[in-house]
Amino acid sequence: LKLYNTEEHVKNYRPQLLVLSGNPAARPSLVDFVYNITKGSSLMICGYVVPYAPCDRVFSVCRKLERQLNEWLRKKKIKSFYASTACTSLREGAQNLWQVAGLGKLRPNIVIAGFKGNWCDGGPTDAKMREINEYFGVIQDAFDAGMGVGVLRNELAGLDYSEAMRRYNVRDKIPMAAREPTV
């Protein structure tokens, strides 16, 4: 409540980050990097757009994901909140996240996303072009909302370990609901 009466100034500015991490357990390097920016003293929210149409089953999976991924963040000693939204469109889901994430003046002012590394895989199909437009739309919408944008890229390995985790059968170390939802 005290923040409502505080004017924004360069001396009291703190980055308040919304990380479009998807499943944070699948992108630990992205989450760790952003946590190093906040140093545990700024707001950090790991956001996940669950790629399904909203329904009771999806909401049940989202609640289970929230419990288990908050526990994962706590065990990793990362001071972050977790928020998810169910939406078939990445762009609309990201818009929902930054409209509802936060509390009062503690709202994200920076959106961080991973670099879309597979943008040219498989050639230019209609589905691939829609996917790329969704990704760029998220960035444009964040700028339109007056937010800063960061796109992180790890040149060699990337920031998404979900495929490597499947390949090496590391799934049993991730909480059951934290895996990609099946609806």
Side-chain angles (χ1 to χ4, degrees), residues 40-161:
S41 63
S42 294
L43 177 68
M44 177 177 163
I45 300 172
C46 292
Y48 188 2
V49 179
V50 179
Y52 293 99
C55 70
D56 289 341
R57 285 183 67 190
V58 172
F59 293 145
S60 174
V61 169
C62 286
R63 283 190 296 275
K64 195 171 182 183
L65 275 170
E66 184 172 356
R67 282 191 306 273
Q68 292 192 346
L69 289 173
N70 275 322
E71 180 66 19
W72 181 85
L73 289 165
R74 188 186 64 73
K75 283 183 180 175
K76 295 270 293 171
K77 296 183 170 116
I78 296 173
K79 295 177 185 174
S80 175
F81 294 100
Y82 168 80
S84 64
T85 184
C87 193
T88 54
S89 164
L90 172 67
R91 187 174 187 176
E92 289 176 21
Q95 290 170 350
N96 292 342
L97 279 173
W98 59 66
Q99 287 179 34
V100 299
L103 178 66
K105 279 204 171 183
L106 287 175
R107 296 197 166 278
N109 53 17
I110 300 173
V111 174
I112 305 284
F115 181 78
K116 183 159 184 57
N118 63 349
W119 63 273
C120 63
D121 293 350
T125 63
D126 286 340
K128 190 60 88 171
M129 292 306 293
R130 277 192 300 278
E131 191 177 311
I132 292 168
N133 283 332
E134 289 270 313
Y135 180 78
F136 284 113
V138 168
I139 295 169
Q140 289 172 337
D141 293 343
F143 282 130
D144 290 344
M147 303 173 88
V149 175
V151 178
L152 276 62
R153 180 178 185 192
N154 185 349
E155 187 176 349
L156 300 176
L159 295 168
D160 185 356
Y161 292 123

Side-chain angles (χ1 to χ4, degrees), residues 1-14 16 104-106:
L1 291 173
K2 289 179 184 178
L3 288 175
Y4 269 119
N5 300 326
T6 305
E7 277 296 315
E8 289 189 23
H9 190 272
V10 84
K11 291 182 179 179
N12 63 14
Y13 174 80
R14 288 204 187 271
Q16 299 174 61
K105 279 204 171 183
L106 287 175

